[in-house]
Amino acid sequence: MKQLIIYNHLIKFDKKVFIMKNITKLLFLFISISVFSQGPWTQEKGKVYTQLSFTTIPTYNELFGDPDYTISGEIADNTIQFYSEYGLSNKTTLLVNLPLKLITINGFQNPAIDCIGDCSQDYNKTSLGNIEIGLKHNFYNKTWLLSGQLSMEANTGSFDGNSGIRTGYDAFTFSPLFIAGRSFSKSYLQTFIGSNIRTNNYSSNFKIGGEYGGKISKNIWLIGFLDISKSFKNGDIVLPITNLATGLYVNDQEYGVLGIKAIGEFSDNFGVTASLPAAFFGNNVAKQLALSFGVYKKF
């Protein structure tokens, strides 16, 4: 009888361990953050890399500026993003990025309307952001990898005049990048430098950054990254007053971000990533942490 009781306890304990292991995997899956960073590595010919991610900027009403300033209402900015790379050859990769924006604003008061008392309203909008397509080509592959990348973001965002919600830049953006990197036994280093050249009288931006990461266990990578985008302040686009009231995709946006991320590999072809960025300067961008999580699959 005692042996039977002990056996039943062992079965229950094993079930709890099994459940906890799977819950841990699910939690790691859903709290993981995905950040698309420019790397010099290209896909092999015919190989495909896909990633589905969710990014959220939780409720905020303050933007970086000189000085920092508040906006009308409280905004929650969410993005569901599908990113993919396809190896056209061993040296050239096609990349596509499809963002779907889900933006809500509570307590927005249209500054173009004169009213007495509280005229604030709540709005939400789901629409495409700026769809991106590009090419990455590796032209040197010895100890260091040196690659070039050119991508274009199409003017596929939308704008709602009543709420001031904009889901993408009202412009085409061309982004040339020079990328360098190398692998070590259990770590890697990569850097990039380039620009975002925007049409329609938006200012263009200078971009620089990089990351260093290493394996801390068999299946987990820990990575530190830096991403800086500085406006050339060479644009004078005139945007609607409601758009300026929300600060969504306005002119002269810039930022500097330091952060860490982790990659969990469930297999050679499937995994998740997690990151926590923190801005140390900015202009016309949310003064709030962004949280992302995603799942990737290689074919």
Side-chain angles (χ1 to χ4, degrees):
M1 179 63 69
K2 289 183 179 180
Q3 289 179 338
L4 180 60
I5 293 173
I6 293 173
Y7 179 73
N8 287 333
H9 279 302
L10 287 174
I11 291 176
K12 290 179 180 179
F13 178 77
D14 285 341
K15 286 182 178 179
K16 288 180 180 179
V17 171
F18 175 80
I19 292 171
M20 287 303 298
K21 283 182 177 180
N22 282 276
I23 290 176
T24 301
K25 288 181 180 180
L26 287 173
L27 287 175
F28 187 68
L29 176 67
F30 285 105
I31 66 172
S32 62
I33 296 179
S34 172
V35 286
F36 165 57
S37 58
Q38 296 84 355
W41 292 273
T42 54
Q43 299 295 321
E44 294 180 10
K45 183 178 180 179
K47 296 294 184 179
V48 179
Y49 171 89
T50 59
Q51 180 176 278
L52 183 65
S53 62
F54 176 75
T55 301
T56 181
I57 304 177
T59 302
Y60 68 91
N61 68 347
E62 187 176 9
L63 299 186
F64 282 104
D66 187 19
D68 299 343
Y69 61 99
T70 58
I71 56 175
S72 178
E74 292 187 334
I75 296 176
D77 187 346
N78 302 311
T79 307
I80 298 173
Q81 185 168 269
F82 175 77
Y83 174 78
S84 183
E85 294 184 351
Y86 173 73
L88 297 174
S89 70
N90 289 337
K91 289 184 174 292
T92 304
T93 292
L94 173 70
L95 59 92
V96 177
N97 187 36
L98 303 174
L100 179 67
K101 303 290 296 185
L102 304 92
I103 299 176
T104 62
I105 180 168
N106 295 324
F108 179 74
Q109 186 162 319
N110 191 330
I113 299 176
D114 294 327
C115 68
I116 299 174
D118 184 8
C119 301
S120 62
Q121 297 186 53
D122 299 339
Y123 297 92
N124 64 80
K125 187 174 182 61
T126 299
S127 181
L128 283 174
N130 296 116
I131 295 175
E132 181 182 19
I133 186 169
L135 291 173
K136 181 190 302 182
H137 181 74
N138 174 249
F139 52 85
Y140 182 83
N141 186 356
K142 298 295 183 181
T143 304
W144 284 85
L145 279 80
L146 305 179
S147 298
Q149 179 175 305
L150 177 63
S151 64
M152 180 197 73
E153 292 182 14
N155 188 356
T156 50
S158 62
F159 175 66
D160 179 71
N162 292 325
S163 65
I165 295 177
R166 187 179 292 281
T167 64
Y169 290 107
D170 184 20
F172 284 83
T173 302
F174 300 89
S175 300
L177 293 176
F178 172 76
I179 317 166
R182 65 171 296 181
S183 297
F184 305 95
S185 58
K186 292 185 178 181
S187 63
Y188 73 93
L189 172 69
Q190 66 182 42
T191 62
F192 67 88
I193 186 171
S195 62
N196 298 132
I197 302 169
R198 295 194 172 97
T199 64
N200 200 22
N201 292 324
Y202 271 94
S203 293
S204 297
N205 281 43
F206 169 76
K207 289 179 62 66
I208 191 170
E211 59 184 51
Y212 176 78
K215 273 195 170 184
I216 60 173
S217 71
K218 181 180 178 181
N219 298 314
I220 298 177
W221 293 75
L222 187 63
I223 301 145
F225 63 89
L226 169 71
D227 189 3
I228 295 174
S229 180
K230 285 286 293 181
S231 174
F232 289 121
K233 301 188 185 299
N234 58 347
D236 56 1
I237 185 172
V238 178
L239 294 170
I241 188 172
T242 53
N243 190 183
L244 298 176
T246 61
L248 292 167
Y249 296 95
V250 296
N251 199 26
D252 291 326
Q253 289 188 316
E254 54 187 17
Y255 56 84
V257 171
L258 278 170
I260 58 172
K261 67 178 179 178
I263 299 174
E265 300 172 325
F266 292 123
S267 69
D268 291 338
N269 299 316
F270 172 70
V272 295
T273 62
S275 74
L276 182 63
F280 56 90
F281 80 84
N283 186 56
N284 294 336
V285 291
K287 197 172 183 181
Q288 176 67 286
L289 291 176
L291 180 66
S292 270
F293 57 86
V295 184
Y296 70 84
K297 175 69 175 176
K298 301 175 184 178
F299 299 92

